[in-house]
């Protein structure tokens, strides 16, 4: 089965630093998503992206967050100035029209 | 607003015993429902999904789930649990926005006793 690939699997950063989480969605997928899961809590929607623009975002996705599809294959999530509470597992997902989401294995972000 | 409730935070069963994980949803129309499993340090793997049609859905790894509209439930079942089934299980519903925003439950952590 095709896979969504996320790198790195674990990222450690200092508070206030910028981080970029990288994802390679499945090649013929058109819709892209970021979710996050704070330890011990449920998986939460952050943002959806289609046709090179954000189609929906949650209240978590404030001005510190941005997403980009810089080329035909990558989909990135940038956090401009990380906070301790940004520590979480971040999942990328993608899908085709009217089909289920495929999730990546996640990037564990630790903000110190 | 859409929501998903998984009433059981932890469940412990013996290997070989049957399993039922509960999921209740709140949704205005016919929902799209999913069960995902997350093993330690792993991502989210889809076990099964319900879009329409037969209310008893078969999934991977011997799991099944039954959609009951009258009870707003989508409980996950397995007749005989294996030690490798120990993981966290998430129920999810697709939100009403039309953008396929998944709403997840808080998860049920399954422990399997040898």
């Amino acid at each position: 089965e095709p896979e969504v690939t996320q790198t790195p699997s674990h990222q450690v950063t200092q508070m206030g630093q910028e981080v970029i989480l990288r994802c390679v969605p499945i090649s013929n997928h058109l819709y892209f998503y970021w979710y996050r899961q704070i330890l011990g809590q449920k998986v939460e929607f952050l943002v959806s992206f289609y046709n090179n623009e954000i189609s929906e975002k949650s209240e978590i996705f404030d001005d510190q967050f941005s997403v980009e599809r810089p080329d035909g294959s990558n989909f990135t999530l940038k956090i401009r100035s990380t906070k301790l509470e940004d520590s979480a597992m971040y999942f990328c997902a993608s899908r085709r029209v009217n089909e289920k989401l495929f999730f990546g294995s996640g990037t564990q972000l630790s903000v110190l | 607003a859409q929501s998903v409730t998984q009433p059981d935070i932890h469940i412990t069963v013996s290997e070989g015993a049957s399993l039922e994980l509960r999921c209740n949803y709140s949704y205005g129309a016919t929902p799209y429902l999913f069960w995902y499993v997350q093993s330690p340090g792993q991502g989210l793997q889809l076990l099964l999904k319900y879009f329409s049609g037969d209310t008893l859905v078969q999934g991977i790894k011997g799991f099944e789930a039954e959609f009951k509209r009258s009870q707003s439930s989508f409980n996950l079942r397995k007749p005989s649990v294996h030690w490798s089934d120990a993981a966290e299980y998430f129920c999810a519903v697709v939100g009403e926005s039309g953008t396929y925003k998944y709403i997840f439950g808080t998860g049920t952590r399954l422990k399997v006793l040898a």
Side-chain angles (χ1 to χ4, degrees):
Chain A
E1 189 170 71
E3 288 186 346
V4 174
T5 306
Q6 289 186 246
T7 55
S9 58
H10 196 170
Q11 175 131 16
V12 182
T13 189
Q14 296 290 324
M15 191 170 56
Q17 294 296 304
E18 174 183 286
V19 294
I20 298 176
L21 308 183
R22 303 182 190 279
C23 170
V24 179
I26 295 169
S27 61
N28 60 353
H29 286 192
L30 300 175
Y31 300 82
F32 312 108
Y33 301 78
W34 284 100
Y35 286 76
R36 80 172 184 189
Q37 184 185 23
I38 294 172
L39 185 64
Q41 299 186 23
K42 64 181 178 181
V43 178
E44 302 174 290
F45 168 81
L46 289 178
V47 65
S48 59
F49 190 87
Y50 170 71
N51 201 25
N52 285 320
E53 60 183 24
I54 291 174
S55 43
E56 187 171 0
K57 60 184 181 180
S58 72
E59 58 189 27
I60 302 168
F61 194 88
D62 61 21
D63 293 343
Q64 292 299 311
F65 290 89
S66 63
V67 290
E68 192 177 34
R69 189 154 163 82
D71 52 42
S73 60
N74 292 285
F75 180 52
T76 61
L77 175 69
K78 182 193 291 186
I79 308 174
R80 256 178 279 282
S81 176
T82 50
K83 303 186 284 285
L84 295 176
E85 53 265 38
D86 293 328
S87 295
M89 177 77 90
Y90 288 81
F91 292 104
C92 175
S94 69
R95 68 173 177 93
R96 293 187 296 190
V97 176
N98 292 332
E99 292 205 354
K100 66 181 175 80
L101 285 182
F102 286 78
F103 283 88
S105 56
T107 293
Q108 180 66 52
L109 177 65
S110 299
V111 182
L112 306 179
Chain B
Q2 311 90 50
S3 66
V4 175
T5 303
Q6 293 181 245
D8 305 304
I9 298 174
H10 296 280
I11 283 186
T12 300
V13 300
S14 298
E15 191 170 19
S18 64
L19 172 71
E20 182 168 32
L21 303 182
R22 295 183 291 165
C23 172
N24 293 95
Y25 66 89
S26 171
Y27 189 75
T30 300
Y32 290 177
L33 293 157
F34 306 82
W35 274 100
Y36 283 85
V37 60
Q38 184 183 29
S39 298
Q42 302 295 310
L44 295 165
Q45 182 181 25
L46 180 68
L47 285 176
L48 47 77
K49 63 184 185 290
Y50 171 78
F51 282 4
S52 64
D54 194 348
T55 56
L56 184 62
V57 181
Q58 301 297 320
I60 62 171
K61 303 185 180 186
F63 286 93
E64 66 177 26
E66 187 170 13
F67 170 60
K68 293 185 177 179
R69 184 189 301 276
S70 62
Q71 299 176 18
S72 296
S73 70
F74 188 57
N75 294 347
L76 181 71
R77 300 194 294 248
K78 186 170 185 178
S80 178
V81 169
H82 188 261
W83 63 267
S84 61
D85 293 324
E88 186 140 24
Y89 292 80
F90 292 93
C91 182
V93 65
V94 172
E96 291 178 338
S97 65
T99 60
Y100 259 58
K101 182 176 74 173
Y102 281 30
I103 310 296
F104 283 84
T106 49
T108 298
R109 184 167 296 279
L110 174 65
K111 183 176 179 179
V112 180
L113 302 177

